[in-house]
């Protein structure tokens, strides 16, 4: 559906569509038109014009999220377009803003906010080439170091040394860009562009490197910390992290798989867990917590009860929770504030039916996203599930892949889902009747694709028809067999794959050495 454009926006598009004319005429443009021209240039992917607009930016701040978001002149939000041409032009324009001594505009820029850029799966830009979070981290670090070299070589106007711009960014660091980012952070004090890390994601890093760079990134500014794949952070390391570094404004924390494992707990470990809970309790802004694939049986209360601020997002998927854990969650003050909840990997209908529905009831007025993958939800449980979901009128996203549901049960569920007014995304399982008889759940990776694809397509068509007949074409229904899209993994999958192969090889070598010694 086409979004309406104001006459001002149409004029801006016409102006920037002739790049040569627009670039020559910028000196005559009123400063309050720059945001309008920037969005028009971004929409048309006019890289050269974007570069010159940023190079001559006459305003105090430059906020990508606001500039590309819905505006009076053009309602469409472009912040999810991570177009490589546009973003590279934008960042090189920022470097040249610092170096440009001939701009007709006074240098007033103090803050650049790049955090509003959203990485999504499907790109709508013409070039179809994206610049993800990792590449943005890489390019900004490179440009900062280039500026330091220019300054050191004395190639700049004396006024350049007075320029100081805070650049707010979500950093994404892996082994491959680690050295470059470290160097940029070390030279921050002598660079006019000051990298201000408000969100930090780390994959494929040794613990030593992670601890070093997280201190360099200035934890006092950090609002979001994600330690995800191949960072071998265990509970004792987490305690050291929280004891040695203060995170005063941290709002969101994601920990890697197997950070906790209560199966091998000693009395010392129990104390360590309590200390970590108390440290998290001191983080008064913490509202999002992801601890998937840890073994936390019977310890959720110990970890979460010290928190003084209610959680809005909780991911405890595949954490082996027991009845006591579920009962604590259902009765805790967090329950009434949970907007995003992931309980995947727990046999909810068999082990936790009453506590789960109590939790759902308490969070129903605010719940926006619910994930129940591999939860053993069967046909017999669908009516009960519908009853539990009925009060969740704000639900926007429901994911329940990996459950043994028949096509008939899915049709019944979809008919109900049409009634949830805010629903936008549904991720549903391959119907059980598409798999060979006798398939066991949860289905292993080797068997997950061995289903009747033609039958699945036919059923998926029927499910989409249910949505269509209820005038719910706004709902996107899909079956991601290997999990939801992760922009960060997509961008660095080659490095991630190489790291996994290396780890496997090392494990194999250790096993072979041990076996030879035994022989």
């Amino acid at each position: 559906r086409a979004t309406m454009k104001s006459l001002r926006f149409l004029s801006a598009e016409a102006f920037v569509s002739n790049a040569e004319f627009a670039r020559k005429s910028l000196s005559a443009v009123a400063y309050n038109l720059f945001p309008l021209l920037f969005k028009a240039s971004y929409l048309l992917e006019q890289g050269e014009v974007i570069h010159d607009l940023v190079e001559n930016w006459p305003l105090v701040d430059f906020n990508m999220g606001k500039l590309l978001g819905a505006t009076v002149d053009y309602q469409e939000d472009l912040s999810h377009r991570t177009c490589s041409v546009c973003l590279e032009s934008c960042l090189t324009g920022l470097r040249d803003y610092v170096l440009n001594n001939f701009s007709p505009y006074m240098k007033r820029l103090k803050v650049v906010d790049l955090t509003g850029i959203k990485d999504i799966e499907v790109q709508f830009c013409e070039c179809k080439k994206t610049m993800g979070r990792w590449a943005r981290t890489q390019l900004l670090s490179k440009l900062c170091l280039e500026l330091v070299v220019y300054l050191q070589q004395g190639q700049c106007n004396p006024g350049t040394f007075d320029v100081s711009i805070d650049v707010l960014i979500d950093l994404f660091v892996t082994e491959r860009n680690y050295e470059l980012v470290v160097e940029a952070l070390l030279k921050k004090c002598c660079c006019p562009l000051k990298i201000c890390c408000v969100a930090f994601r780390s994959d494929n890093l040794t613990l030593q490197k992670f601890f070093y760079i997280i201190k360099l990134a200035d934890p006092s500014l950090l609002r979001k910390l994600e330690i995800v794949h191949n960072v071998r952070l265990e509970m004792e390391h987490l305690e050291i992290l929280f004891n040695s570094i203060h995170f005063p404004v941290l709002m969101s924390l994601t920990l890697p798989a197997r950070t906790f494992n209560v199966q091998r707990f000693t009395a010392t470990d129990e104390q360590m867990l309590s200390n970590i809970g108390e440290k998290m309790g001191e983080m008064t802004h913490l509202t999002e917590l992801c601890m998937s694939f840890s073994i936390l049986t019977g310890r959720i209360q110990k970890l979460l009860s010290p928190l003084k601020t209610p959680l809005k997002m909780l991911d405890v998927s595949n954490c082996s929770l027991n009845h006591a854990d579920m009962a604590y969650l259902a009765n805790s003050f967090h329950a009434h504030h949970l907007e995003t909840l992931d309980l995947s990997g727990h046999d909810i209908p068999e082990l936790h039916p009453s506590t789960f529905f109590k939790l759902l009831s308490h969070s129903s007025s605010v719940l926006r996203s619910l994930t129940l993958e591999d939860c053993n939800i069967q046909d017999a449980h669908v009516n009960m599930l519908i009853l539990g979901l009925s009060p969740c009128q704000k639900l926007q996203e429901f994911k329940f892949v990996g459950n043994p549901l028949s096509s008939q049960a899915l049709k019944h569920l979809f008919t109900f889902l049409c009634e949830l007014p805010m629903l936008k995304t549904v991720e549903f399982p391959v119907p059980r009747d598409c798999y060979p008889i006798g398939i066991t759940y949860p289905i292993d990776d080797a068997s997950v694709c061995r289903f009747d694809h033609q039958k699945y397509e036919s059923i998926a068509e029927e499910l989409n028809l249910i949505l269509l007949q209820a005038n719910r074409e706004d709902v996107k229904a899909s079956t991601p067999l290997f999990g939801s899209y992760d922009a960060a993994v997509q961008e660095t999958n080659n490095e991630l794959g190489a790291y996994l192969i290396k780890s496997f090889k090392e494990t194999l070598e250790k096993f072979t050495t041990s076996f030879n010694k035994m022989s």
Side-chain angles (χ1 to χ4, degrees):
R1 197 163 49 202
T3 309
M4 288 289 287
K5 298 171 182 176
S6 72
L7 196 56
R8 265 166 49 99
F9 195 84
L10 290 168
S11 304
E13 278 190 291
F15 179 79
V16 302
S17 61
N18 183 336
E20 193 182 348
F21 170 75
R23 295 174 77 192
K24 281 179 184 170
S25 310
L26 271 187
S27 57
V29 171
Y31 73 91
N32 60 337
L33 291 176
F34 269 65
L36 179 73
L37 294 174
F38 180 80
K39 188 171 183 180
S41 303
Y42 205 94
L43 180 66
L44 299 180
E45 293 174 45
Q46 291 284 35
E48 292 176 329
V49 182
I50 289 171
H51 171 278
D52 287 11
L53 282 166
V54 178
E55 185 184 4
N56 294 283
W57 199 255
L59 305 168
V60 177
D61 73 323
F62 179 90
N63 185 316
M64 283 288 274
K66 284 182 181 172
L67 289 165
L68 298 178
T71 56
V72 177
D73 293 296
Y74 186 45
Q75 283 290 310
E76 189 173 339
D77 186 351
L78 303 180
S79 60
H80 53 267
R81 291 198 185 192
T82 55
C83 171
S84 185
V85 169
C86 296
L87 289 171
E88 187 167 345
S89 301
C90 194
L91 290 172
T92 52
L94 188 58
R95 174 202 59 197
D96 296 339
Y97 172 92
V98 175
L99 299 172
N100 186 355
N101 302 315
F102 305 105
S103 174
Y105 299 95
M106 197 173 82
K107 287 192 193 297
R108 300 171 65 212
L109 189 58
K110 294 293 172 199
V111 180
V112 170
D113 190 341
L114 303 174
T115 61
I117 302 166
K118 305 178 191 88
D119 296 288
I120 62 166
E121 187 170 3
V122 181
Q123 282 298 323
F124 296 98
C125 62
E126 289 293 318
C127 74
K128 294 285 183 276
K129 193 179 174 208
T130 62
M131 181 182 283
R133 184 175 167 185
W134 188 92
R136 297 194 293 272
T137 300
Q138 172 95 347
L139 182 57
L140 180 63
S141 302
K142 182 172 163 283
L143 295 173
C144 286
L145 291 170
E146 280 178 18
L147 278 174
V148 171
V149 171
Y150 279 126
L151 291 170
Q152 286 172 344
Q153 290 174 347
Q155 295 177 1
C156 307
N157 186 292
T160 305
F161 291 88
D162 300 327
V163 177
S164 179
I165 302 165
D166 288 338
V167 184
L168 278 58
I169 186 171
D170 300 338
L171 290 182
F172 180 17
V173 180
T174 65
E175 180 67 45
R176 202 154 48 99
N177 66 355
Y178 172 81
E179 298 293 343
L180 185 75
V181 181
V182 162
E183 196 181 349
L185 290 171
L186 282 169
K187 292 181 177 172
K188 177 179 171 176
C189 57
C190 51
C191 180
L193 297 178
K194 313 286 182 193
I195 294 177
C196 298
C197 175
V198 291
F200 185 94
R201 173 163 174 151
S202 167
D203 284 12
N204 309 328
L205 267 190
T206 63
L207 277 176
Q208 188 180 5
K209 287 180 176 178
F210 167 72
F211 271 84
Y212 182 64
I213 197 166
I214 201 68
K215 287 178 181 175
L216 276 185
D218 190 358
S220 69
L221 303 172
L222 211 56
R223 296 197 289 259
K224 187 171 188 173
L225 176 59
E226 298 169 282
I227 313 160
V228 192
H229 299 292
N230 302 320
V231 181
R232 292 175 183 170
L233 185 94
E234 293 184 8
M235 190 171 66
E236 55 267 35
H237 310 126
L238 186 62
E239 187 186 33
I240 294 165
L241 179 71
F242 286 167
N243 282 338
S244 58
I245 299 174
H246 186 46
F247 299 96
V249 294
L250 194 70
M251 298 166 71
S252 179
L253 176 64
T254 298
L255 297 171
R258 295 179 291 279
T259 299
F260 304 100
N261 183 357
V262 304
Q263 289 177 333
R264 53 170 198 246
F265 262 28
T266 62
T268 310
D269 292 326
E270 294 289 358
Q271 185 55 51
M272 204 182 289
L273 191 73
S274 297
N275 294 345
I276 288 168
E278 284 167 21
K279 284 292 178 187
M280 290 200 304
E282 292 169 14
M283 298 173 191
T284 52
H285 295 81
L286 189 67
T287 57
E288 297 182 358
L289 187 58
C290 174
M291 306 180 288
S292 57
F293 289 93
S294 275
I295 299 173
L296 283 164
T297 316
R299 305 307 195 286
I300 283 288
Q301 184 168 0
K302 186 174 273 191
L303 205 52
L304 301 188
S305 60
L307 269 59
K308 297 170 186 70
T309 310
L311 290 172
K312 290 182 182 176
M313 188 278 259
L314 179 64
D315 180 349
V316 280
S317 54
N318 301 283
C319 284
S320 305
L321 303 188
N322 64 13
H323 181 76
D325 296 317
M326 289 295 286
Y328 167 74
L329 286 177
N331 295 303
S332 71
F333 77 129
H334 302 294
H336 299 274
H337 298 85
L338 285 171
E339 294 174 13
T340 303
L341 177 64
D342 191 340
L343 291 170
S344 299
H346 295 98
D347 190 342
I348 282 167
E350 293 300 316
L351 301 179
H352 317 293
S354 58
T355 46
F356 167 69
F357 287 110
K358 188 176 183 181
L359 174 58
L360 207 53
S361 163
H362 286 166
S363 61
S364 61
S365 64
V366 292
L367 192 66
R368 289 188 292 110
S369 174
L370 177 64
T371 307
L372 301 173
E373 296 178 358
D374 299 311
C375 284
N376 195 29
I377 299 167
Q378 300 176 32
D379 290 15
H381 310 126
V382 168
N383 285 333
M384 200 191 297
L385 182 64
I386 288 171
L387 206 63
L389 289 173
S390 293
C392 304
Q393 293 292 297
K394 289 186 181 171
L395 197 68
Q396 295 174 18
E397 189 175 65
F398 181 40
K399 302 177 180 181
F400 58 108
V401 173
N403 288 292
L405 290 164
S406 69
S407 53
Q408 212 52 45
L410 285 170
K411 288 173 196 174
H412 180 34
L413 188 53
F414 264 63
T415 304
F416 158 72
L417 292 175
C418 292
E419 297 170 19
L420 296 175
M422 311 285 281
L423 196 67
K424 290 283 176 281
T425 305
V426 176
E427 292 184 2
F428 64 95
V430 172
R432 194 185 63 226
D433 35 314
C434 290
Y435 281 106
I437 293 164
I439 187 96
T440 54
Y441 285 79
I443 302 170
D444 57 63
D445 287 350
S447 307
V448 78
C449 290
R450 291 178 187 161
F451 60 89
D452 186 332
H453 288 256
Q454 201 174 346
K455 189 175 181 181
Y456 165 78
E457 290 300 336
S458 172
I459 295 165
E461 223 170 276
E462 288 180 58
L463 296 174
N464 275 304
L465 190 62
I466 291 170
L467 295 172
L468 205 63
Q469 287 172 340
N471 293 320
R472 293 306 305 270
E473 53 265 44
D474 58 320
V475 178
K476 184 194 170 198
S478 63
T479 304
L481 290 174
F482 298 101
S484 300
Y485 176 76
D486 183 330
V489 169
Q490 191 68 27
E491 191 182 7
T492 57
N493 56 8
N494 289 343
E495 185 179 355
L496 186 62
Y499 195 97
L500 288 171
I501 291 166
K502 182 175 168 239
S503 298
F504 179 70
K505 192 180 166 201
E506 285 170 2
T507 306
L508 210 59
E509 282 169 357
K510 282 177 189 172
F511 174 77
T512 309
T513 308
S514 303
F515 186 76
N516 289 340
K517 280 180 183 174
M518 285 169 68
S519 302

